[in-house]
Amino acid sequence: MIGATLGHVRDDGCQCSKETNMEAVFHEKQEGSLCAQHCLNNLLQGEYFSPVELSSIAHQLDEEERMRMAEGGLTSEEYRIFMQQPSGNMDDSGFFSIQVISNALEVWGLELLLFNSQEYQSLQISPIDERAFICNYKEHWFTVRKIGKQWFNLNSLLTGPELISDTYLALFLAQLQQEGYSIFVIKGTLPDCEADQLLQMIRVQQAQRPKLIGEEIAQSSDERLQQTDTDQATETCVTYSETNALDEDEENLQKALALSRQEIDMEDEEADLRRAIQLSIQGGLQLDFPQLTPDNIPQTSSGNAPELLTSEELRRRRQAFFEKQQQQQEQAEDLHDKPTTSSNALGIDPGSADSDLSD
């Protein structure tokens, strides 16, 4: 378990310091306004106190204060005002007073001593020689504790324990005081914990300091927004590509249908032209060549239908037919005018012929 949690120990017993995730260190994260509960449990390195237990301590303190105020008389103005005031040891949000924390620590034989008090300063004890501190600003409580041979900031507002070096500890406490924090030194023997035993054997390293929970939430939100924007952009690109592909397919389909209609129209026009020429030729052949019957019209090799000619051949035959008709008309006109022309050509005078007959 030591190797899995805190690092690697060689078979020869030599301990190798290695970066770990410090999972052995107990750290409660912030829930609601229960920072006093988180502070105590992080100090004791376990789930020692619940909101119900701390509320019970707060009610006990309220009752002790009420009894002291009642000594001055139940009808006194001070007692009446006290009873009208809300509890000073807890509220509905989960906040607990320093008196509640102090009474909770008394159960474990621990006491609080104000860090900047004259009593403590007169002891001239270096902070690194202490075991733990509790820090308070307004309504927030958190613990700074030594586990093994190293110090940790166990603030419940952090995403995890923060490693503090020995040289930085005094500066860290001084900075908290400048920010308005009240610091209390924990006096007494802390209960044993597994993390303390494990970290006595190996020093841990921390490559990246934990962030505040609010910063992590904001970063996670930003990452989700960026991922959402990326997904939307990708979806838009895919949709745009699909739309373009569909538009291109639709355009190609329309072109294909248009070409198909043009080919059909051309085929229809060609077929109509062929039928018109065939009918024209057949009509002419029936008028001028009545001897042609279906029996003597050239047949296909199968003998089922007349041979279909190309449009060019049909146009050529039709032109020949029209030229032949024109020649026949001209010959007929010449035959109609031939007798008169012949008489004149022989020099016979129609008048003289009449006179001979009269003689």
Side-chain angles (χ1 to χ4, degrees):
M1 181 175 179
I2 297 175
T5 306
L6 298 172
H8 174 67
V9 180
R10 293 201 300 265
D11 294 336
D12 58 4
C14 180
Q15 300 171 356
C16 300
S17 178
K18 182 179 180 181
E19 180 181 350
T20 68
N21 54 16
M22 296 184 291
E23 292 180 353
V25 179
F26 182 86
H27 178 257
E28 274 190 1
K29 295 182 181 180
Q30 188 72 23
E31 292 183 6
S33 299
L34 297 175
C35 54
Q37 171 195 319
H38 306 320
C39 174
L40 289 170
N41 289 339
N42 289 338
L43 171 68
L44 301 175
Q45 284 294 285
E47 297 179 354
Y48 286 90
F49 292 100
S50 67
V52 175
E53 293 170 336
L54 294 179
S55 297
S56 177
I57 296 176
H59 286 306
Q60 182 180 353
L61 290 173
D62 289 342
E63 182 61 21
E64 292 176 358
E65 292 176 1
R66 188 193 67 79
M67 293 177 63
R68 286 196 298 270
M69 294 298 298
E71 292 177 356
L74 297 178
T75 58
S76 64
E77 184 69 15
E78 291 80 4
Y79 182 80
R80 185 182 63 81
I81 295 175
F82 172 80
M83 294 300 296
Q84 292 177 351
Q85 297 296 323
S87 171
N89 295 299
M90 61 172 294
D91 59 25
D92 295 336
S93 67
F95 168 78
F96 295 98
S97 66
I98 182 63
Q99 288 81 11
V100 174
I101 294 177
S102 178
N103 280 30
L105 291 177
E106 286 179 0
V107 177
W108 296 94
L110 302 172
E111 61 176 342
L112 299 175
L113 187 60
L114 190 61
F115 178 71
N116 61 350
S117 66
Q118 184 177 0
E119 177 185 358
Y120 179 76
Q121 293 296 325
S122 64
L123 298 176
Q124 297 182 351
I125 301 175
S126 174
I128 61 174
D129 294 330
E130 298 291 355
R131 292 294 299 166
F133 300 93
I134 284 182
C135 307
N136 167 253
Y137 179 68
K138 295 184 177 179
E139 296 183 354
H140 182 62
W141 300 90
F142 71 92
T143 293
V144 177
R145 171 180 169 163
K146 178 184 285 187
I147 302 177
K149 298 178 181 180
Q150 294 173 286
W151 283 89
F152 295 89
N153 176 10
L154 302 178
N155 194 334
S156 59
L157 294 178
L158 295 175
T159 56
E162 180 184 18
L163 184 62
I164 301 177
S165 65
D166 291 347
T167 56
Y168 181 66
L169 177 63
L171 296 175
F172 179 69
L173 296 176
Q175 180 181 355
L176 291 178
Q177 285 183 306
Q178 290 180 356
E179 294 176 358
Y181 276 85
S182 297
I183 301 176
F184 300 88
V185 183
I186 303 298
K187 289 298 184 178
T189 303
L190 293 169
D192 293 334
C193 64
E194 182 180 6
D196 190 58
Q197 296 174 1
L198 294 175
L199 295 185
Q200 288 287 347
M201 301 189 310
I202 189 171
R203 295 180 66 88
V204 299
Q205 299 176 2
Q206 188 172 43
Q208 184 176 3
R209 295 188 178 277
K211 299 179 180 179
L212 290 173
I213 294 178
E215 293 178 356
E216 182 186 42
I217 295 175
Q219 183 178 1
S220 300
S221 178
D222 292 340
E223 291 176 354
R224 287 195 298 270
L225 289 175
Q226 291 177 0
Q227 184 63 34
T228 302
D229 293 340
T230 302
D231 294 341
Q232 289 178 351
T234 303
E235 183 178 357
T236 301
C237 291
V238 171
T239 304
Y240 180 74
S241 300
E242 292 177 350
T243 302
N244 287 345
L246 292 174
D247 293 341
E248 184 176 355
D249 292 342
E250 182 69 19
E251 183 179 357
N252 293 335
L253 178 61
Q254 293 297 333
K255 289 181 179 180
L257 292 175
L259 291 174
S260 177
R261 285 195 294 267
Q262 290 178 1
E263 292 176 358
I264 293 174
D265 293 341
M266 291 175 64
E267 291 176 357
D268 291 342
E269 292 177 359
E270 189 72 18
D272 293 340
L273 178 60
R274 289 183 180 182
R275 285 195 294 270
I277 294 174
Q278 285 279 23
L279 291 175
S280 177
I281 293 175
Q282 291 176 4
L285 291 175
Q286 290 175 359
L287 289 173
D288 294 282
F289 304 99
Q291 70 277 14
L292 294 177
T293 63
D295 296 334
N296 55 23
I297 294 176
Q299 303 289 321
T300 61
S301 59
S302 61
N304 296 329
E307 180 181 1
L308 294 178
L309 302 177
T310 63
S311 59
E312 182 62 27
E313 183 65 20
L314 290 174
R315 291 192 186 96
R316 187 181 65 76
R317 291 191 179 188
R318 184 182 183 193
Q319 183 67 25
F321 171 74
F322 288 149
E323 291 177 354
K324 187 174 181 180
Q325 275 191 334
Q326 186 175 3
Q327 289 176 1
Q328 290 176 353
Q329 290 177 0
E330 290 177 354
Q331 291 176 1
E333 290 177 358
D334 291 342
L335 291 174
H336 182 270
D337 296 337
K338 187 174 183 180
T340 305
T341 306
S342 300
S343 300
N344 294 333
L346 293 175
I348 300 175
D349 187 0
S352 61
D354 293 338
S355 60
D356 291 339
L357 291 174
S358 61
D359 290 341

Short mmCIF file of all heavy atoms in Angstrom, two decimals, residues 291-312:
data_model
loop_
_atom_site.label_atom_id
_atom_site.label_comp_id
_atom_site.label_asym_id
_atom_site.label_seq_id
_atom_site.Cartn_x
_atom_site.Cartn_y
_atom_site.Cartn_z
N GLN A 291 -48.87 0.75 -109.05
CA GLN A 291 -48.54 -0.66 -109.11
C GLN A 291 -47.77 -1.14 -107.89
O GLN A 291 -47.66 -2.34 -107.67
CB GLN A 291 -47.73 -0.99 -110.37
CG GLN A 291 -46.30 -0.44 -110.36
CD GLN A 291 -46.24 1.02 -110.80
OE1 GLN A 291 -47.30 1.68 -110.85
NE2 GLN A 291 -45.06 1.50 -111.13
N LEU A 292 -47.21 -0.20 -107.04
CA LEU A 292 -46.48 -0.60 -105.84
C LEU A 292 -47.47 -0.93 -104.72
O LEU A 292 -48.31 -0.12 -104.38
CB LEU A 292 -45.55 0.52 -105.37
CG LEU A 292 -44.40 0.85 -106.33
CD1 LEU A 292 -43.61 2.01 -105.78
CD2 LEU A 292 -43.53 -0.36 -106.55
N THR A 293 -47.39 -2.11 -104.24
CA THR A 293 -48.28 -2.59 -103.17
C THR A 293 -47.42 -3.08 -102.02
O THR A 293 -46.23 -3.26 -102.16
CB THR A 293 -49.18 -3.72 -103.67
OG1 THR A 293 -48.33 -4.80 -104.03
CG2 THR A 293 -50.01 -3.25 -104.86
N PRO A 294 -48.06 -3.30 -100.89
CA PRO A 294 -47.29 -3.83 -99.75
C PRO A 294 -46.56 -5.12 -100.05
O PRO A 294 -45.60 -5.45 -99.42
CB PRO A 294 -48.34 -4.03 -98.65
CG PRO A 294 -49.41 -3.03 -98.99
CD PRO A 294 -49.44 -2.97 -100.50
N ASP A 295 -47.07 -5.81 -101.08
CA ASP A 295 -46.43 -7.09 -101.39
C ASP A 295 -45.09 -6.91 -102.07
O ASP A 295 -44.19 -7.75 -101.92
CB ASP A 295 -47.31 -7.95 -102.27
CG ASP A 295 -48.60 -8.34 -101.55
OD1 ASP A 295 -48.55 -8.38 -100.29
OD2 ASP A 295 -49.62 -8.59 -102.20
N ASN A 296 -44.98 -5.82 -102.89
CA ASN A 296 -43.71 -5.64 -103.58
C ASN A 296 -42.84 -4.54 -103.00
O ASN A 296 -41.90 -4.10 -103.64
CB ASN A 296 -43.93 -5.37 -105.08
CG ASN A 296 -44.87 -4.17 -105.29
OD1 ASN A 296 -44.99 -3.35 -104.39
ND2 ASN A 296 -45.54 -4.11 -106.43
N ILE A 297 -43.19 -4.04 -101.80
CA ILE A 297 -42.32 -3.08 -101.10
C ILE A 297 -41.19 -3.87 -100.47
O ILE A 297 -41.41 -4.91 -99.87
CB ILE A 297 -43.09 -2.32 -100.03
CG1 ILE A 297 -44.14 -1.44 -100.68
CG2 ILE A 297 -42.15 -1.46 -99.18
CD1 ILE A 297 -45.03 -0.72 -99.71
N PRO A 298 -39.94 -3.36 -100.50
CA PRO A 298 -38.81 -4.12 -99.93
C PRO A 298 -39.03 -4.38 -98.43
O PRO A 298 -39.46 -3.49 -97.69
CB PRO A 298 -37.61 -3.17 -100.15
CG PRO A 298 -38.01 -2.35 -101.32
CD PRO A 298 -39.48 -2.15 -101.22
N GLN A 299 -38.77 -5.59 -98.03
CA GLN A 299 -38.94 -6.00 -96.63
C GLN A 299 -37.59 -6.15 -95.97
O GLN A 299 -36.56 -6.20 -96.63
CB GLN A 299 -39.70 -7.35 -96.57
CG GLN A 299 -41.06 -7.32 -97.24
CD GLN A 299 -42.08 -6.49 -96.47
OE1 GLN A 299 -42.08 -6.54 -95.26
NE2 GLN A 299 -42.90 -5.74 -97.19
N THR A 300 -37.62 -6.21 -94.62
CA THR A 300 -36.41 -6.48 -93.86
C THR A 300 -36.07 -7.94 -93.98
O THR A 300 -36.85 -8.73 -94.54
CB THR A 300 -36.63 -6.11 -92.39
OG1 THR A 300 -37.67 -6.91 -91.87
CG2 THR A 300 -36.97 -4.65 -92.24
N SER A 301 -34.92 -8.28 -93.46
CA SER A 301 -34.48 -9.67 -93.54
C SER A 301 -35.44 -10.60 -92.83
O SER A 301 -35.57 -11.76 -93.20
CB SER A 301 -33.08 -9.81 -92.92
OG SER A 301 -33.11 -9.39 -91.57
N SER A 302 -36.15 -10.09 -91.85
CA SER A 302 -37.12 -10.94 -91.14
C SER A 302 -38.43 -11.02 -91.85
O SER A 302 -39.26 -11.85 -91.54
CB SER A 302 -37.34 -10.40 -89.71
OG SER A 302 -37.86 -9.09 -89.76
N GLY A 303 -38.70 -10.07 -92.79
CA GLY A 303 -39.95 -10.10 -93.54
C GLY A 303 -41.12 -9.60 -92.80
O GLY A 303 -42.25 -9.78 -93.24
N ASN A 304 -40.93 -8.95 -91.65
CA ASN A 304 -42.06 -8.51 -90.85
C ASN A 304 -42.42 -7.07 -91.08
O ASN A 304 -43.57 -6.69 -90.91
CB ASN A 304 -41.75 -8.70 -89.36
CG ASN A 304 -41.58 -10.18 -89.03
OD1 ASN A 304 -42.21 -11.03 -89.66
ND2 ASN A 304 -40.70 -10.47 -88.07
N ALA A 305 -41.50 -6.17 -91.44
CA ALA A 305 -41.81 -4.74 -91.54
C ALA A 305 -40.88 -4.12 -92.56
O ALA A 305 -39.80 -4.65 -92.84
CB ALA A 305 -41.63 -4.07 -90.20
N PRO A 306 -41.27 -2.98 -93.12
CA PRO A 306 -40.42 -2.30 -94.09
C PRO A 306 -39.13 -1.86 -93.41
O PRO A 306 -39.09 -1.58 -92.22
CB PRO A 306 -41.26 -1.08 -94.51
CG PRO A 306 -42.65 -1.45 -94.19
CD PRO A 306 -42.58 -2.35 -93.01
N GLU A 307 -38.09 -1.78 -94.24
CA GLU A 307 -36.78 -1.39 -93.72
C GLU A 307 -36.79 0.09 -93.37
O GLU A 307 -37.27 0.90 -94.15
CB GLU A 307 -35.72 -1.65 -94.78
CG GLU A 307 -34.33 -1.28 -94.33
CD GLU A 307 -33.31 -1.54 -95.42
OE1 GLU A 307 -33.73 -1.99 -96.50
OE2 GLU A 307 -32.12 -1.28 -95.16
N LEU A 308 -36.31 0.46 -92.19
CA LEU A 308 -36.24 1.84 -91.76
C LEU A 308 -34.97 2.46 -92.28
O LEU A 308 -33.87 1.93 -92.10
CB LEU A 308 -36.27 1.92 -90.23
CG LEU A 308 -37.58 1.47 -89.58
CD1 LEU A 308 -37.45 1.56 -88.06
CD2 LEU A 308 -38.74 2.31 -90.08
N LEU A 309 -35.15 3.61 -92.98
CA LEU A 309 -34.01 4.31 -93.56
C LEU A 309 -33.54 5.39 -92.61
O LEU A 309 -34.30 5.86 -91.76
CB LEU A 309 -34.41 4.94 -94.91
CG LEU A 309 -34.94 3.96 -95.96
CD1 LEU A 309 -35.36 4.71 -97.20
CD2 LEU A 309 -33.90 2.91 -96.31
N THR A 310 -32.31 5.82 -92.81
CA THR A 310 -31.79 6.92 -92.02
C THR A 310 -32.44 8.20 -92.47
O THR A 310 -33.00 8.28 -93.59
CB THR A 310 -30.27 7.01 -92.15
OG1 THR A 310 -29.97 7.30 -93.52
CG2 THR A 310 -29.59 5.70 -91.76
N SER A 311 -32.34 9.22 -91.56
CA SER A 311 -32.97 10.51 -91.89
C SER A 311 -32.32 11.13 -93.13
O SER A 311 -33.01 11.74 -93.98
CB SER A 311 -32.84 11.45 -90.70
OG SER A 311 -31.48 11.63 -90.37
N GLU A 312 -31.05 10.98 -93.29
CA GLU A 312 -30.37 11.56 -94.46
C GLU A 312 -30.82 10.87 -95.76
O GLU A 312 -31.06 11.51 -96.78
CB GLU A 312 -28.85 11.41 -94.28
CG GLU A 312 -28.03 12.02 -95.39
CD GLU A 312 -28.24 13.53 -95.49
OE1 GLU A 312 -28.58 14.14 -94.44
OE2 GLU A 312 -28.08 14.08 -96.59
#
